[in-house]
Amino acid sequence: MSQELKTPLSQAKDDFVTQWGAIGSAWGINRTMAQIHALLMVTARPLSTDEVMDELKISRGNAHSNLRELIGWGLIRSVIRKGERKEYFEAEKDVWKMFCIIVRERKRREIDPALEVLTRCRQATKGLKGEEAEVFQKQIAALSDFVAVANRVMDKVANGSESQLMPLALKMIK
Amino acid sequence: MSQELKTPLSQAKDDFVTQWGAIGSAWGINRTMAQIHALLMVTARPLSTDEVMDELKISRGNAHSNLRELIGWGLIRSVIRKGERKEYFEAEKDVWKMFCIIVRERKRREIDPALEVLTRCRQATKGLKGEEAEVFQKQIAALSDFVAVANRVMDKVANGSESQLMPLALKMIK
DNA sequence: CACAACTTTCAGTATTATCTGAAAATATAG
DNA sequence: CTATATTTTCAGATAATACTGAAAGTTGTG
């Protein structure tokens, strides 16, 4: 199975995996998690933990925890083959479903808490007078409105039953 | 100016600054940079480097480099007062403009490179046969399409001269 | 030019995030 | 129950990132 020289395909895969990892980390996602995700996205068959470790040259512990994390996000699922004890993993390959999952999770993990903070800041300064206070209130209100809209948009995107239609809809924007 | 007990306003500010920093870092933005941004967003008047250092209890070097970075993003601008040698900084306060700036910058810094990688992977595997190769090609093609759409959407959002109208438009989505 | 005000740089240090590897736990087969 | 395969945990190591503080650089002023 392993060869001395890499095939063009495996070179391209490596390139993709590496770059996807870099992109992920620019968006606050653990590099290894993004790499595993990339690897599973472009691999035809489900891989075992050992195969992932081997492909990415990472330790068992690292592979394990990032695979679990990806399952937590819903971006991959585990596959159990009859008669085998090992667990295999495969990625959700539908790009739009993927996108919806990521939007939904980030909303839940980050937008919701942000709204809480903003609401708390509003409460705490309600009724205060003076220029400083008023600038603060105005800015917090504007941010709240913005985040609330983002929230609704993300809900629509993430739960739109017509995720299949989204690509078309967006293309319309031209 | 400084008091023993914090006013409700400065408490709320601190809370906001801290939390905004946390949110930023979940999105791959340096915590301090997000905090400085937050501070300037909710402060009525432009602040000097020393005031920023003092408010956030950070060193001159740290304040300096993050202020420059924020200027690089276009999220703050420097203000020179006549007859004063110090440089002051103020944030863009319009939330929608802010959003557009961030979208434009992230597109430039991350989406464009992502498209390059995908294009390169497509080229490199063009014409290869076999199930593995075909799954790879199909997935890369799907991702390319997706990223291309995202690209166009981000362009529209970031350069739409009617950024004032965006909030309304989005509210329409309901 | 000399001085003071202010900004910039960056080597060294601190902090935080991530990873390793081996031991412990769990599950399955016989 | 025992042996074996596999997964899970986590203390300590490593790597990545961010920060400090002081020295060097720059700019404006008299």
Side-chain angles (χ1 to χ4, degrees):
Chain A
M1 181 62 40
S2 68
Q3 300 165 227
E4 278 312 309
L5 298 178
K6 298 223 166 191
T7 62
L9 178 59
S10 75
Q11 277 177 39
K13 266 195 184 185
D14 285 355
D15 186 18
F16 174 68
V17 166
T18 301
Q19 297 298 134
W20 202 250
I23 290 166
S25 69
W27 287 82
I29 281 154
N30 176 297
R31 190 185 310 273
T32 301
M33 177 171 147
Q35 288 183 348
I36 296 178
H37 182 225
L39 175 63
L40 293 177
M41 261 197 299
V42 295
T43 300
R45 61 197 181 73
L47 298 182
S48 66
T49 301
D50 291 78
E51 288 169 311
V52 171
M53 287 165 59
D54 189 55
E55 286 279 348
L56 303 181
K57 305 286 180 262
I58 59 178
S59 73
R60 183 172 305 283
N62 194 11
H64 175 78
S65 62
N66 284 108
L67 283 165
R68 291 299 143 201
E69 185 88 354
L70 281 165
I71 289 181
W73 277 70
L75 290 168
I76 68 174
R77 48 185 160 270
S78 91
V79 177
I80 313 273
R81 295 209 190 112
K82 271 197 274 190
E84 276 203 72
R85 282 159 82 166
K86 252 204 276 288
E87 192 175 12
Y88 291 79
F89 302 91
E90 71 180 1
E92 167 59 58
K93 292 220 170 60
D94 181 318
V95 174
W96 285 93
K97 279 194 193 160
M98 233 175 72
F99 176 67
C100 292
I101 289 170
I102 291 170
V103 167
R104 188 181 314 122
E105 286 293 311
R106 298 213 80 151
K107 170 178 142 31
R108 190 173 64 72
R109 295 172 194 224
E110 289 131 21
I111 305 287
D112 295 351
L115 266 177
E116 265 180 49
V117 178
L118 291 167
T119 306
R120 188 165 70 237
C121 288
R122 259 177 153 163
Q123 292 298 332
T125 60
K126 187 174 284 180
L128 294 180
K129 295 297 175 194
E131 196 209 351
E132 267 293 323
E134 274 154 28
V135 168
F136 181 83
Q137 286 156 351
K138 198 174 152 197
Q139 192 64 22
I140 296 292
L143 285 167
S144 291
D145 288 351
F146 175 80
V147 176
V149 171
N151 206 30
R152 283 212 299 285
V153 171
M154 286 171 102
D155 263 339
K156 283 286 157 191
V157 170
N159 302 319
S161 50
E162 67 311 46
S163 68
Q164 292 301 0
L165 298 182
M166 283 295 294
L168 293 178
L170 287 177
K171 272 177 190 158
M172 290 301 163
I173 298 183
K174 174 62 203 326
Chain B
M1 182 62 40
S2 67
Q3 301 165 223
E4 276 313 307
L5 297 178
K6 298 223 167 190
T7 62
L9 178 59
S10 74
Q11 277 177 38
K13 266 197 184 184
D14 285 356
D15 185 17
F16 175 67
V17 166
T18 302
Q19 296 299 134
W20 201 251
I23 289 167
S25 70
W27 287 82
I29 282 154
N30 176 299
R31 191 185 311 273
T32 302
M33 176 171 147
Q35 287 183 348
I36 295 178
H37 183 224
L39 175 63
L40 294 177
M41 261 197 298
V42 295
T43 300
R45 61 196 182 76
L47 298 182
S48 66
T49 302
D50 291 77
E51 287 169 311
V52 171
M53 287 165 60
D54 188 55
E55 284 281 347
L56 304 180
K57 306 286 180 262
I58 59 178
S59 72
R60 183 172 305 284
N62 194 12
H64 175 78
S65 62
N66 284 107
L67 283 165
R68 291 299 142 202
E69 186 87 355
L70 282 165
I71 288 181
W73 277 71
L75 289 169
I76 68 174
R77 48 185 161 270
S78 92
V79 177
I80 314 273
R81 296 210 190 112
K82 271 197 274 191
E84 276 203 71
R85 282 160 83 166
K86 252 205 278 289
E87 192 176 12
Y88 290 79
F89 302 91
E90 70 179 1
E92 167 59 58
K93 292 218 170 61
D94 181 319
V95 174
W96 285 94
K97 279 195 193 157
M98 232 175 73
F99 177 67
C100 291
I101 289 170
I102 292 170
V103 166
R104 188 182 316 121
E105 286 293 311
R106 298 212 81 150
K107 171 179 142 30
R108 190 174 65 72
R109 295 170 193 223
E110 290 130 21
I111 305 286
D112 295 351
L115 264 178
E116 266 181 47
V117 177
L118 290 167
T119 306
R120 188 165 70 237
C121 287
R122 258 177 153 163
Q123 293 298 333
T125 58
K126 186 175 283 183
L128 295 180
K129 295 296 177 194
E131 196 210 351
E132 266 293 323
E134 274 155 28
V135 167
F136 182 84
Q137 286 155 349
K138 199 174 151 197
Q139 192 64 22
I140 296 292
L143 285 167
S144 289
D145 288 350
F146 175 80
V147 176
V149 170
N151 207 30
R152 282 212 300 285
V153 170
M154 287 171 102
D155 264 339
K156 283 286 158 191
V157 170
N159 301 320
S161 49
E162 66 313 44
S163 69
Q164 292 301 0
L165 297 182
M166 282 297 292
L168 292 177
L170 287 177
K171 271 176 191 159
M172 291 300 163
I173 299 183
K174 175 59 202 327

